[in-house]
Amino acid sequence: MTHPFFTPELRLMLEEEDADGVRAFCETLHPALVAEALAEDFSVEEVWRVLEHTHIRDQAAIFEYFPISWQVTMVEGGGKPHMARLIEAMSHDDRVALLRRLTPRVADGLLRLVDVADRRDIAELFRYAENTVGSIMTTEYAWVPTGLTIGEAIDRLRHHAPDNETIYYVYVLQESTRRLEGVVSLRDLILSQRLVSINEVMDRDLVTLNVTDDREVAAQAIARYDFLAMPVIDDSNRLVGIVTHDDVIDIVVQEATEDLQRQGAVGPITENYLEAGFLDVWWKRTFWLSMLFIAEMLTFSATAYYEESIERIMILKYFITLCIATGGNSGTQAATLVTRAMALGQISVGHWFRVLRHELLMGIAMGLVLGIIALVRCQLVPTEMLRVEGGEDLTHIQIGWVIGQAVACICLVGTLIGAMLPMVFKKLGVDPALASSPFVATFVDVTGIVLYFSIASVYL
Amino acid sequence: MTHPFFTPELRLMLEEEDADGVRAFCETLHPALVAEALAEDFSVEEVWRVLEHTHIRDQAAIFEYFPISWQVTMVEGGGKPHMARLIEAMSHDDRVALLRRLTPRVADGLLRLVDVADRRDIAELFRYAENTVGSIMTTEYAWVPTGLTIGEAIDRLRHHAPDNETIYYVYVLQESTRRLEGVVSLRDLILSQRLVSINEVMDRDLVTLNVTDDREVAAQAIARYDFLAMPVIDDSNRLVGIVTHDDVIDIVVQEATEDLQRQGAVGPITENYLEAGFLDVWWKRTFWLSMLFIAEMLTFSATAYYEESIERIMILKYFITLCIATGGNSGTQAATLVTRAMALGQISVGHWFRVLRHELLMGIAMGLVLGIIALVRCQLVPTEMLRVEGGEDLTHIQIGWVIGQAVACICLVGTLIGAMLPMVFKKLGVDPALASSPFVATFVDVTGIVLYFSIASVYL
């Protein structure tokens, strides 16, 4: 993939006011590349000067590829009437995403200058809650009424000339009600005879999305069926929009980023790493670390509770960290697997019993191995560490037995908690990805301390 | 999205040997749905009986949607001649993925029965290493020679009738050398006049992939440019294949799963959670937990090293877990952010200094907050815990000062290690996602113990 640096060349053209050069630059290269070159090294004013030289459709195409935070900055730095024209030319889903990010005052001011039809369309999309299919769909789609011939349908398409992303499926609607009757791919249109009726060619067995579905449902469905786009209907089966494949890749990437970050103990930071605001990131990171820190203080209290045992049997304290870490690791592991399987639609809350049984066996099988490793390690402990205050010294076998058993139990319990928590969270309506976060590992940590000392007190 | 249960109906049709019903079932529903219904509840023999009733192209379409492990089972349970026909009908990328998973003996036996042209094509794709663009591309693409008119190009397409996934871009090649000259989208073909030359309409400014590029490069490029497919060329600029959008979604999902799992302390398990083999999963999970467990034993040694301080100043031991967890959490957090930013192409190893500076400031700003929380918490410690063996008791201020400072330093150092390790790993050719795994958290844990006791020994 070629990716040269255009900055110096473009800067020169700007200085020389070479309008043709700038236009050629914007219109020949892929808008994603132009957007990247512009957003990195130019000021808001310079970017506006570059865009002004091109057709409004090209401006919109480039503008859509700017990161959303940069789009917001540009709106604030640009003339409102110009921005209103740009919004009219943007794709319907992208402009709603932008307007959602503006302050209500700025958005209102802008919208007042926008064409009535577009304003109505924006208001329509605005109604849908974030993270629903409605919030990511676009209302630009290719459609024809039922009963046309293939030839008539193609002529209609020629006339409307929809965008690249939205032309590949042509939806067949009942004209009066906009009820969705079928779909024809552009491929089938081209391969069929012009005189055949579209009703004969269209596919009636449609997989559709509902406008209120979660956007992850759209992502899963498109990934599963390999569609380029999916129709979105409302409760009376009317076609209200489509979700396209490119939005789905963005969603998949974004959801994966959020899951990874949540698992890595940081609130979702979807902006570019180096460009995100320092204070914002600082707060998101500090908040999580502080919450974890405060939760982890419970280990202080738990350990202090067993003070007497710790003082008496000196070796116990050296194994605390190890036991705690085992619980945290096995819990995180199980939670990660279950959370991801739920996110990919492989299991649902209804499978909880199968998951529990599976993890019970798995926890026992893993705990055995860890327990044996611990038992072996204990044989290597220096003998002077086996002293007991006011009692007989421990033997290596004794301590090995206790630690091995504790480690195995903690591994099992950590695994079970880790596997069940994501499902409990899901049931309660909380994001299950939180369950694989260190926050829950902390919870398992404290359980680990309690188990450790309980088992120790049985034997010692 | 509708998703009824087809199992009982289909089983009935099989029992009644209702060939027409089975065929209608397979041909009306989306192959993904059919594959799902079949793979869940039927035996290998039953699935083969269902497939036999349909056209070989439909069989291939359904077969491609089976999970790869189920495909392998089916190959082993099916007749070889039949399987050879199926392989001829499968899409070129999917069949290579399947053959890679078979034992060489089975694959060879099968290939000998496959048509010569297909066998050559398979051998061609087999040459490319896994995880390269070559290994995920398909050699089925729509192309026309330079110099045709739009009308001639459309007629050619009608004649060849390529698949849905591969028809949407038509590549324009120099016929003798297969050098890639340009691309026309199906949209532009339809919207242009039949008599215009394709050379006037085609886009010459192509974004291409090289056949040896990493497959993640393909995923990033398609996500960035919103393409339906991208052309893959070899070093002499000849078109050798294309990568399609649906493969990219699969890659994005799979890479995210692997990253999440690695971060969650488990070797990549890409099979379905409930279907993956118990022993295989057990080994992958136990291996990681054991490695972590053994690494975590270093905390035993590190703690034992500071035995004397621990015995003398009794409060120190109660804060060990807290300090260790802080290091682990802040390290994991920074590593997650940096790893994900690298995976999304936002930063590269060359940015290490900017990242270091950024994380230095961030680490200080976060450490201050945690340090203050620790300082406050220390004021609430019961006075009898402040005893020092053979010395003067500590004051609350003293212990607060020590713990606060230790927590702040550990947070800073954890953050820096966490941010730098993914870049070091990348530089060394190791997968940077390993750096956000608990394995590295363990490393930070030990550093935390050392820092904690070093700071304590300065003041106490």
Side-chain angles (χ1 to χ4, degrees):
Chain A
M1 212 175 61
T2 56
H3 181 8
F5 283 134
F6 310 105
T7 317
E9 199 188 335
L10 190 60
R11 196 170 290 279
L12 197 72
M13 288 192 277
L14 264 186
E15 274 164 21
E16 292 175 352
E17 305 201 352
D18 174 4
D20 291 340
V22 171
R23 182 165 44 245
F25 175 84
C26 291
E27 289 172 7
T28 333
L29 289 174
H30 191 285
L33 268 181
V34 179
E36 211 162 85
L38 286 175
E40 268 184 16
D41 298 297
F42 291 86
S43 69
V44 174
E45 292 73 31
E46 284 169 327
V47 174
W48 276 122
R49 271 176 57 210
V50 170
L51 290 185
E52 270 164 19
H53 289 298
T54 65
H55 189 275
I56 189 83
R57 280 191 85 103
D58 293 309
Q59 290 183 32
I62 296 167
F63 192 84
E64 286 167 13
Y65 277 104
F66 288 135
I68 189 99
S69 53
W70 179 247
Q71 287 184 13
V72 172
T73 320
M74 289 216 26
V75 171
E76 283 157 3
K80 267 192 194 158
H82 184 155
M83 197 55 225
R85 295 296 82 70
L86 198 55
I87 281 186
E88 287 162 13
M90 280 175 75
S91 40
H92 294 193
D93 46 350
D94 287 343
R95 68 187 183 190
V96 172
L98 169 61
L99 286 164
R100 275 185 205 274
R101 290 288 291 264
L102 298 176
T103 58
R105 211 179 46 79
V106 176
D108 281 352
L110 256 180
L111 273 179
R112 230 168 288 141
L113 302 174
V114 166
D115 181 49
V116 186
D118 285 293
R119 201 156 62 207
R120 204 174 298 140
D121 184 88
I122 290 169
E124 175 89 18
L125 284 180
F126 237 98
R127 287 187 309 146
Y128 302 110
E130 262 188 295
N131 296 325
T132 62
V133 165
S135 73
I136 56 161
M137 73 182 183
T138 173
T139 43
E140 298 159 297
Y141 49 82
W143 70 279
V144 293
T146 50
L148 294 192
T149 65
I150 296 290
E152 287 167 338
I154 292 181
D155 293 342
R156 235 176 203 259
L157 274 189
R158 280 232 177 87
H159 184 70
H160 289 297
D163 272 357
N164 245 323
E165 285 162 27
T166 52
I167 198 179
Y168 293 106
Y169 294 120
V170 179
Y171 297 96
V172 183
L173 305 185
Q174 236 179 29
E175 196 156 15
S176 54
T177 58
R178 296 192 84 77
R179 259 178 65 98
L180 181 59
E181 298 291 331
V183 65
V184 188
S185 69
L186 193 56
R187 170 182 182 273
D188 292 338
L189 276 186
I190 297 234
L191 299 185
S192 306
Q193 299 298 323
R194 278 186 70 89
L195 291 178
V196 172
S197 161
I198 206 160
N199 292 31
E200 285 174 39
V201 180
M202 74 184 183
D203 190 351
R204 290 161 197 275
D205 187 58
L206 285 170
V207 189
T208 57
L209 296 165
N210 193 291
V211 73
T212 53
D213 282 343
D214 194 286
R215 62 179 199 163
E216 269 190 80
V217 172
Q220 282 177 12
I222 289 198
R224 181 166 154 209
Y225 296 107
D226 298 338
F227 289 137
L228 295 175
M230 281 180 78
V232 182
I233 55 172
D234 64 11
D235 290 330
S236 33
N237 205 20
R238 291 182 319 137
L239 183 65
V240 289
I242 60 172
V243 174
T244 54
H245 71 103
D246 53 314
D247 296 323
V248 163
I249 293 192
D250 294 345
I251 293 170
V252 169
V253 170
Q254 205 182 319
E255 300 269 351
T257 303
E258 287 182 17
D259 284 356
L260 275 162
Q261 288 177 347
R262 219 169 271 122
Q263 192 173 310
V266 47
I269 298 169
T270 43
E271 292 93 350
N272 188 304
Y273 171 77
L274 283 175
E275 286 162 19
F278 188 87
L279 268 183
D280 183 39
V281 173
W282 170 80
W283 171 242
K284 281 179 176 162
R285 292 174 68 167
T286 306
F287 175 79
W288 272 96
L289 283 186
S290 306
M291 292 322 302
L292 288 174
F293 188 73
I294 291 168
E296 201 71 48
M297 280 175 181
L298 282 176
T299 61
F300 177 91
S301 315
T303 321
Y305 180 81
Y306 293 102
E307 190 186 338
E308 193 232 347
S309 312
I310 297 178
E311 292 296 316
R312 203 163 54 83
I313 312 164
M314 75 177 264
I315 193 160
L316 284 186
K317 61 177 160 289
Y318 297 109
F319 279 109
I320 295 177
T321 316
L322 187 61
C323 287
I324 288 178
T326 305
N329 288 335
S330 52
T332 305
Q333 187 186 69
T336 302
L337 285 172
V338 170
T339 306
R340 189 65 186 158
M342 283 206 288
L344 294 179
Q346 294 171 352
I347 53 174
S348 64
V349 177
H351 290 100
W352 73 270
F353 186 70
R354 272 178 78 182
V355 172
L356 184 68
R357 204 178 46 192
H358 182 268
E359 293 299 315
L360 184 69
L361 290 175
M362 191 62 82
I364 292 171
M366 297 193 301
L368 277 177
V369 176
L370 296 190
I372 290 168
I373 298 177
L375 196 145
V376 172
R377 174 65 179 87
C378 285
Q379 309 312 308
L380 309 172
V381 166
T383 317
E384 69 266 24
M385 277 200 170
L386 299 176
R387 255 189 304 121
V388 174
E389 205 103 327
E392 227 176 297
D393 283 4
L394 297 174
T395 63
H396 278 99
I397 298 295
Q398 254 182 322
I399 190 71
W401 182 243
V402 170
I403 303 290
Q405 212 168 326
V407 164
C409 286
I410 291 170
C411 173
L412 172 61
V413 172
T415 302
L416 291 179
I417 295 180
M420 287 299 109
L421 268 180
M423 306 197 121
V424 173
F425 278 27
K426 178 89 180 186
K427 190 82 193 166
L428 297 176
V430 181
D431 186 339
L434 276 179
S436 46
S437 75
F439 200 62
V440 173
T442 304
F443 176 66
V444 178
D445 281 358
V446 177
T447 320
I449 296 183
V450 175
L451 270 174
Y452 175 58
F453 283 109
S454 308
I455 289 172
S457 66
V458 168
Y459 290 96
L460 306 179
Chain B
M1 213 173 60
T2 56
H3 182 8
F5 283 133
F6 309 105
T7 316
E9 199 187 336
L10 191 60
R11 198 170 287 278
L12 197 71
M13 288 192 275
L14 263 185
E15 275 164 21
E16 293 175 353
E17 305 203 351
D18 174 5
D20 291 340
V22 172
R23 182 165 47 249
F25 175 84
C26 291
E27 289 174 7
T28 334
L29 288 174
H30 192 285
L33 268 180
V34 179
E36 210 162 85
L38 287 175
E40 268 183 19
D41 298 297
F42 291 86
S43 70
V44 174
E45 291 73 31
E46 284 171 328
V47 174
W48 276 122
R49 271 175 58 208
V50 170
L51 290 185
E52 269 162 20
H53 289 298
T54 65
H55 189 274
I56 190 83
R57 279 192 84 102
D58 293 310
Q59 290 184 30
I62 295 167
F63 193 85
E64 286 166 12
Y65 277 105
F66 287 135
I68 189 100
S69 53
W70 179 248
Q71 288 184 13
V72 172
T73 320
M74 290 221 18
V75 171
E76 285 157 3
K80 266 188 195 161
H82 184 156
M83 195 58 223
R85 295 297 82 70
L86 198 56
I87 282 187
E88 287 162 14
M90 281 175 74
S91 44
H92 295 193
D93 45 351
D94 287 342
R95 68 187 183 189
V96 172
L98 168 60
L99 287 164
R100 274 185 206 274
R101 290 287 291 263
L102 299 176
T103 59
R105 211 180 45 81
V106 176
D108 281 352
L110 255 180
L111 274 179
R112 232 169 285 142
L113 302 175
V114 166
D115 181 49
V116 186
D118 285 294
R119 201 157 61 208
R120 204 175 297 138
D121 183 88
I122 289 169
E124 175 89 18
L125 284 180
F126 237 98
R127 288 187 308 145
Y128 303 112
E130 265 190 292
N131 297 325
T132 62
V133 164
S135 74
I136 56 160
M137 74 182 182
T138 175
T139 44
E140 297 159 296
Y141 48 81
W143 70 279
V144 293
T146 51
L148 294 192
T149 65
I150 295 290
E152 288 166 336
I154 292 181
D155 293 342
R156 236 178 202 259
L157 274 190
R158 281 231 176 89
H159 184 68
H160 290 297
D163 272 357
N164 245 324
E165 284 162 27
T166 52
I167 198 179
Y168 293 107
Y169 294 120
V170 180
Y171 298 96
V172 184
L173 306 185
Q174 235 180 27
E175 196 155 17
S176 55
T177 58
R178 297 192 81 79
R179 259 179 64 97
L180 181 60
E181 298 291 331
V183 65
V184 188
S185 69
L186 194 56
R187 169 182 183 272
D188 292 339
L189 276 186
I190 298 233
L191 300 184
S192 306
Q193 299 299 322
R194 278 185 71 89
L195 291 177
V196 172
S197 160
I198 205 161
N199 294 29
E200 283 175 40
V201 179
M202 73 182 184
D203 190 351
R204 290 162 198 276
D205 188 59
L206 286 170
V207 188
T208 57
L209 296 165
N210 193 290
V211 72
T212 54
D213 282 343
D214 193 286
R215 62 178 200 165
E216 268 190 80
V217 173
Q220 282 176 13
I222 289 197
R224 181 167 155 209
Y225 295 108
D226 298 338
F227 289 136
L228 295 175
M230 282 181 78
V232 182
I233 54 171
D234 64 10
D235 291 331
S236 33
N237 206 19
R238 291 182 319 136
L239 183 64
V240 289
I242 59 172
V243 174
T244 54
H245 71 103
D246 53 316
D247 296 322
V248 163
I249 293 192
D250 294 345
I251 293 170
V252 169
V253 170
Q254 203 182 320
E255 301 268 350
T257 302
E258 287 181 16
D259 284 357
L260 275 161
Q261 289 178 343
R262 222 170 268 121
Q263 192 174 309
V266 49
I269 298 168
T270 42
E271 292 92 352
N272 187 305
Y273 171 77
L274 283 175
E275 286 161 20
F278 189 86
L279 269 182
D280 182 42
V281 172
W282 169 78
W283 170 243
K284 280 179 176 162
R285 292 174 68 169
T286 306
F287 175 80
W288 272 96
L289 282 187
S290 305
M291 294 296 24
L292 289 174
F293 188 72
I294 291 167
E296 200 71 47
M297 281 176 180
L298 282 176
T299 61
F300 176 92
S301 316
T303 320
Y305 180 84
Y306 293 104
E307 190 187 336
E308 193 232 346
S309 312
I310 297 179
E311 294 294 315
R312 205 164 52 85
I313 311 164
M314 76 175 262
I315 194 161
L316 283 187
K317 61 176 161 289
Y318 296 110
F319 280 109
I320 296 177
T321 316
L322 187 60
C323 287
I324 289 179
T326 305
N329 288 335
S330 52
T332 305
Q333 187 186 71
T336 302
L337 286 172
V338 170
T339 306
R340 189 65 186 158
M342 285 207 287
L344 294 178
Q346 294 171 354
I347 55 174
S348 63
V349 176
H351 289 102
W352 71 271
F353 187 69
R354 271 178 79 182
V355 173
L356 184 67
R357 203 179 47 193
H358 183 267
E359 293 297 316
L360 185 69
L361 290 175
M362 191 61 82
I364 293 171
M366 297 193 300
L368 277 178
V369 176
L370 296 191
I372 290 168
I373 298 177
L375 196 143
V376 172
R377 174 66 179 84
C378 286
Q379 308 313 307
L380 309 173
V381 166
T383 317
E384 68 268 22
M385 278 201 171
L386 298 176
R387 255 187 304 121
V388 174
E389 204 103 326
E392 225 176 298
D393 283 4
L394 297 174
T395 64
H396 278 98
I397 298 296
Q398 255 181 321
I399 190 70
W401 183 242
V402 169
I403 303 289
Q405 212 167 328
V407 165
C409 285
I410 291 171
C411 174
L412 172 60
V413 171
T415 302
L416 291 179
I417 295 180
M420 287 299 110
L421 268 180
M423 308 197 117
V424 173
F425 278 26
K426 179 91 180 184
K427 190 83 192 166
L428 297 176
V430 181
D431 185 339
L434 277 179
S436 44
S437 75
F439 201 62
V440 173
T442 304
F443 177 66
V444 178
D445 280 358
V446 177
T447 320
I449 296 184
V450 175
L451 271 174
Y452 174 58
F453 284 108
S454 309
I455 290 172
S457 68
V458 169
Y459 290 98
L460 306 179

